[in-house]
Amino acid sequence: MTLDPSADAALVTHELRGKVLLVTIDHAPVNALSADVRRGLLAAIEAADADASIEAVLIVGAGRNFIAGADIREFGKPPVPPALPDVCNRIEACTKPVVAAIHGAALGGGLEVALAAHYRIAVDGAKLGLPEVQLGLLPGAGGTQRTPRLIGAAAALDLILSGRHTDAKEALAMGLVDRVGRSGDILAEGLAYTHELLAARASVRRTRDAAALADRAASLATVATARAETAKKSRGLFSPLKIVEAVEAAIEQPFDDGLRLERKLFLQCIDSPQRAGLIHAFFAEREVLKAPETRDAKARALDAIGVVGGGTMGAGIAVAVLDAGLPVTMIERDDASLARGRAHIEKVYDGLIARGRLSAEKKADIMTRWSGSTSYDALAAADLVIEAVFEDPAVKQAVFAELDRVCKAGAVLATNTSYLDIDALAASISRPADVIGLHFFSPANIMKLLEVVVPKPVSADVVATAFELAKKLRKTPVRAGVCDGFIGNRLLAVYRSAADAMMEDGASPYQIDAAVRAFGFPMGPFQVVDLAGGDIGWATRKRRAATRNPAARYVQIADRLCERGWFGQKTGRGFYLYSEGSRSGTPDPEVEAIIDAERVRAGITPRTFSDEEIVRRYMAAMINEGANVVHEGIALRPLDVDVTLLYGYGFPRYRGGPMKYADMVGLPTILADIREFAKEDPLFWRASPLLIDLVQRGADFASLNQPA
Ligand code: 3H9
């Protein structure tokens, strides 16, 4: 029997099952707590309290989840009543026992609904957590008050500050749920548990009255430790310290006062730019998965993978593939190189064993899926082959000629080039429609970004296969068009040039790095050069010297360092000095002297830069090139640029990516900066036509973030 067949009832239905009111939330895809769902839940509880024949309430989610949390799309918009904290309070105040039966995700507001219920049962596969911190928020529907009262300050702070998911078994152990169901049938488990509670005459049991904070002194000591650790670790994030404050209030204040403080802090988080940046990142990283080809075409098989090249990149890719549970065949030119390739792979796993994160047996098991050969013929059965050999067009073409000869019809032939013309590579073989770029980032088994570079003749199902591979490898794929540097390295080249120019004009590399770190990047541009190896960029610069625009400014400081053999960490010095085995460098007075000499050579009188100006120039360069790659169709939308920089280049997630950041600063401001900087170097600071157009129309990058 459905008691309330109103519009809300479509999303939240309630029906009598004997004396139990079964409340089902059915709001695809993840049962997010939209205004209609909140209204529906409230109506259900009101109905239960009003009907004397109802003895208990059971809340379940339809589909694959209990409730994934508040509806994130509502944040930043005018609030629509009833507010979730009020709904939770009403559930808790219900005069009949309320049971939450949890399968799939019970996250954020979803777990808060469950905590407001009086009893909780979870089944295998349940994911419980309070991940608000990852969105720049804190649990704002009683989570900071009920969780510590139920499971203690330490466990609550761990859950809320990490945002991690816990499973049914651990949730039971920590007291977050009362029961783990034996079967996966959530409805049957929930009903059985509710009937059991009724038979035992279980009464209403409110989490607000739970006593896990009874040892006040110990709880406060836990909070003090968490506060000190969080201040050290949270690196500019706004919400973690607010979380500590809210949990402290749970210890020190009556429940209702604690809730009021939680609400106040939650609203501060909602208003913070970090919330806007992090939620943009959340949706953007899902949106990039929806490249047009993934909608229109079906992926080809991916059961056997080949990797050509056993260097750092090839081995890293092989590890990523092995970690996904797939077999890898590695090709190298001779036995010694093949042995080195295998050794590179083993080194990764041995490192894990040394840190206690992998057993020797598991490693042996993984390595059974690796095979190596010096003959391309071993790739005859491969579904997809990734070439990761030396970055030279002739070498790559020779590899592709071999792949063309040996691979079966329908095999996907991928190149891991970071800037070469894949259209030309595809055209050089008999099956251009099977050729695609898969640009991994080093270390390839760790870095999440995968640029899927789409040459003109490629067939849609090959692109869909690349996205499927990314899914299997747990990478975040971004679709990119063919150009020099694709999305990421193309932007990098431009903002690196901006940094070089500032260095020659008077800022020290150490000041630039510090300013960029203070913005939120883990490393500044010169630290990155030292980490990657200065020789790599040097080789590229030498290769491009003949085609460089002679009118463009060219800063030679990095070349001077490379001429001395100072390639960064691996040689013990680069822009920084590295003591034996150290990975963090110290400023080098000799480098500063070289920079001074270069300024004299270039006829530059050094001037001072504020940290703020450094960031403005760095970001303007990045954003302007980001606009260019969108304008040229290299990136589908601004959000694809954002995800590239977030996942491949250390852009601070809480700022959402360069294009989101630009929207938040305001595009007219960015354009005005570029025009100001252009007075010194008009060739470098040419405003992107897209940026100019958006400013003229009063629009922003977000307006271009339509579904692909
Ligand atoms: C909160 O609860 C605040 C409260 O404390 C206080 C309030 C006062 N809302 O990830 P998927 C969409 S903050 C709206 O691909 P999966 C998602 O965008 C919230 N939409 O599936 C995607 O849309 P599309 C705390 C949401 O199976 C679709 O659902 N909760 C939400 O791989 C499928 O998502 C969280 O932070 C949402 N809450 O993973 C949990 N969640 O199809 C966030 C998802 O158009 N969610 N969507 O691209 C997740 O972690 C995962 O989505 C989940 C499912 C694990 C649930």
Side-chain angles (χ1 to χ4, degrees):
M1 177 185 68
T2 298
L3 299 178
D4 178 11
S6 67
D8 302 347
L11 300 184
V12 181
T13 54
H14 41 279
E15 61 185 291
L16 272 177
R17 291 291 179 99
K19 293 174 177 172
V20 177
L21 185 70
L22 171 64
V23 180
T24 307
I25 299 159
D26 189 358
H27 183 203
V30 292
N31 296 335
L33 292 156
S34 64
D36 283 345
V37 173
R38 298 195 298 272
R39 260 196 301 276
L41 270 172
L42 207 54
I45 298 296
E46 298 287 355
D49 264 341
D51 185 338
S53 69
I54 294 172
E55 293 186 5
V57 180
L58 172 64
I59 304 176
V60 297
R64 291 194 294 131
N65 300 293
F66 178 64
I67 303 169
D71 188 337
I72 300 172
R73 288 175 210 274
E74 285 183 358
F75 294 148
K77 298 186 185 146
V80 180
L84 189 59
D86 297 335
V87 175
C88 289
N89 289 343
R90 183 65 190 89
I91 292 171
E92 191 170 57
C94 185
T95 56
K96 326 263 168 90
V98 182
V99 179
I102 298 166
H103 76 301
L107 298 175
L111 183 56
E112 290 173 299
V113 165
L115 292 174
H118 306 136
Y119 298 90
R120 286 157 292 280
I121 176 170
V123 295
D124 270 350
K127 276 190 273 204
L128 304 95
L130 294 164
E132 286 87 344
V133 69
Q134 287 158 6
L135 304 174
L137 296 171
L138 49 80
T144 65
Q145 304 304 299
R146 290 192 178 91
T147 318
R149 279 178 167 78
L150 189 65
I151 63 174
L157 280 165
D158 165 47
L159 270 190
I160 305 174
L161 285 171
S162 70
R164 73 184 177 91
H165 298 173
T166 167
D167 60 17
K169 211 167 131 217
E170 192 195 0
L172 180 70
M174 65 168 77
L176 205 54
V177 300
D178 305 291
R179 171 74 63 92
V180 174
R182 273 187 218 99
S183 78
D185 184 342
I186 191 63
L187 184 54
E189 291 287 348
L191 281 171
Y193 182 47
T194 310
H195 284 127
E196 200 182 301
L197 288 167
L198 283 178
R201 298 187 179 282
S203 56
V204 160
R205 189 192 61 170
R206 302 196 166 98
T207 308
R208 60 184 282 149
D209 302 325
L213 295 175
D215 187 342
R216 192 180 142 90
S219 302
L220 285 174
T222 302
V223 166
T225 310
R227 175 170 281 131
E229 276 175 10
T230 304
K232 243 192 295 159
K233 278 196 322 208
S234 58
R235 296 193 1 121
L237 284 176
F238 181 74
S239 80
L241 281 170
K242 305 283 165 193
I243 288 171
V244 177
E245 192 180 340
V247 171
E248 183 174 46
I251 304 162
E252 291 191 318
Q253 297 183 25
F255 184 76
D256 292 322
D257 292 351
L259 273 191
R260 264 190 292 279
L261 179 73
E262 178 193 82
R263 185 73 185 157
K264 190 178 114 193
L265 298 175
F266 179 77
L267 292 177
Q268 286 175 10
C269 293
I270 281 278
D271 286 342
S272 78
Q274 294 190 356
R275 185 275 303 161
L278 286 165
I279 287 185
H280 171 75
F282 176 89
F283 286 118
E285 69 199 11
R286 284 165 174 76
E287 210 51 52
V288 290
L289 306 176
K290 302 172 193 162
E293 293 88 352
T294 60
R295 212 175 28 229
D296 305 337
K298 208 167 145 285
R300 296 182 187 173
L302 272 176
D303 299 322
I305 310 294
V307 173
V308 182
T312 313
M313 209 59 195
I317 294 170
V319 171
V321 175
L322 290 170
D323 286 348
L326 294 167
V328 176
T329 303
M330 178 178 274
I331 304 296
E332 259 295 0
R333 69 188 142 203
D334 52 42
D335 289 335
S337 308
L338 193 57
R340 259 197 306 278
R342 186 182 164 113
H344 280 138
I345 296 175
E346 294 209 39
K347 197 169 154 208
V348 173
Y349 291 121
D350 289 340
L352 292 177
I353 293 174
R355 274 172 278 145
R357 289 172 49 197
L358 188 79
S359 66
E361 297 74 50
K362 185 84 186 112
K363 175 192 157 190
D365 182 44
I366 292 171
M367 290 309 291
T368 59
R369 280 186 275 110
W370 181 90
S371 60
S373 176
T374 53
S375 162
Y376 279 91
D377 295 327
L379 295 177
D383 294 313
L384 179 143
V385 181
I386 305 164
E387 154 294 299
V389 300
F390 188 62
E391 193 78 345
D392 176 304
V395 178
K396 301 250 186 213
Q397 277 193 15
V399 170
F400 266 71
E402 283 298 291
L403 298 180
D404 198 10
R405 180 178 66 78
V406 300
C407 288
K408 67 184 180 189
V412 173
L413 309 181
T415 170
N416 175 53
T417 181
S418 27
Y419 66 89
L420 293 180
D421 182 350
I422 307 179
D423 283 334
L425 195 58
S428 74
I429 63 167
S430 72
R431 31 173 141 176
D434 294 333
V435 176
I436 195 160
L438 290 177
H439 183 208
F440 287 83
F441 290 72
S442 189
N445 55 313
I446 302 213
M447 293 291 285
K448 287 276 167 229
L449 181 63
L450 180 65
E451 275 180 310
V452 175
V453 190
V454 177
K456 277 187 209 83
V458 72
S459 84
D461 63 344
V462 169
V463 182
T465 311
F467 275 77
E468 184 60 27
L469 178 76
K471 192 167 156 193
K472 284 187 192 287
L473 304 191
R474 296 177 184 220
K475 304 258 177 242
T476 299
V478 175
R479 186 190 189 282
V482 175
C483 70
D484 189 346
F486 316 132
I487 300 176
N489 281 350
R490 192 165 143 181
L491 266 69
L492 170 70
V494 175
Y495 65 78
R496 257 299 310 273
S497 293
D500 283 346
M502 286 189 277
M503 173 166 65
E504 195 174 52
D505 285 343
S508 88
Y510 314 119
Q511 186 199 359
I512 295 170
D513 279 351
V516 167
R517 279 198 309 273
F519 179 82
F521 281 87
M523 277 191 272
F526 301 104
Q527 290 174 289
V528 173
V529 172
D530 275 6
L531 175 70
D535 50 329
I536 296 173
W538 193 32
T540 310
R541 291 195 296 278
K542 283 194 276 196
R543 212 165 27 237
R544 291 181 184 168
T547 52
R548 197 164 32 236
N549 179 353
R553 180 173 180 180
Y554 181 73
V555 175
Q556 300 181 23
I557 296 165
D559 294 350
R560 295 295 92 80
L561 303 190
C562 289
E563 285 153 11
R564 288 167 170 77
W566 299 354
F567 296 147
Q569 289 189 15
K570 63 184 171 191
T571 57
R573 67 193 304 180
F575 282 97
Y576 292 79
L577 269 176
Y578 301 87
S579 54
E580 187 69 32
S582 169
R583 296 176 66 177
S584 62
T586 50
D588 183 348
E590 284 188 58
V591 168
E592 288 181 307
I594 292 168
I595 296 171
D596 279 341
E598 279 299 302
R599 287 172 185 150
V600 171
R601 190 195 53 74
I604 289 166
T605 310
R607 68 177 183 88
T608 54
F609 284 80
S610 68
D611 290 355
E612 192 237 334
E613 185 181 0
I614 289 171
V615 168
R616 267 177 42 209
R617 285 174 178 262
Y618 199 68
M619 289 310 305
M622 193 184 303
I623 292 161
N624 197 50
E625 196 60 6
N628 282 331
V629 299
V630 175
H631 183 63
E632 293 167 24
I634 298 299
L636 284 175
R637 301 146 299 187
L639 68 82
D640 297 84
V641 178
D642 285 337
V643 173
T644 303
L645 270 287
L646 289 177
Y647 280 87
Y649 297 82
F651 195 96
R653 186 175 169 90
Y654 64 79
R655 295 190 191 271
M659 314 315 268
K660 176 68 183 175
Y661 174 76
D663 277 354
M664 291 202 272
V665 171
L667 299 193
T669 305
I670 305 286
L671 183 59
D673 273 354
I674 291 171
R675 288 184 167 150
E676 179 62 31
F677 305 150
K679 289 178 186 158
E680 295 159 17
D681 185 351
L683 189 60
F684 181 77
W685 293 104
R686 269 182 306 193
S688 165
L690 177 62
L691 183 60
I692 295 170
D693 175 56
L694 289 171
V695 170
Q696 276 169 356
R697 292 194 284 117
D700 57 11
F701 287 124
S703 66
L704 306 176
N705 281 337
Q706 305 308 325

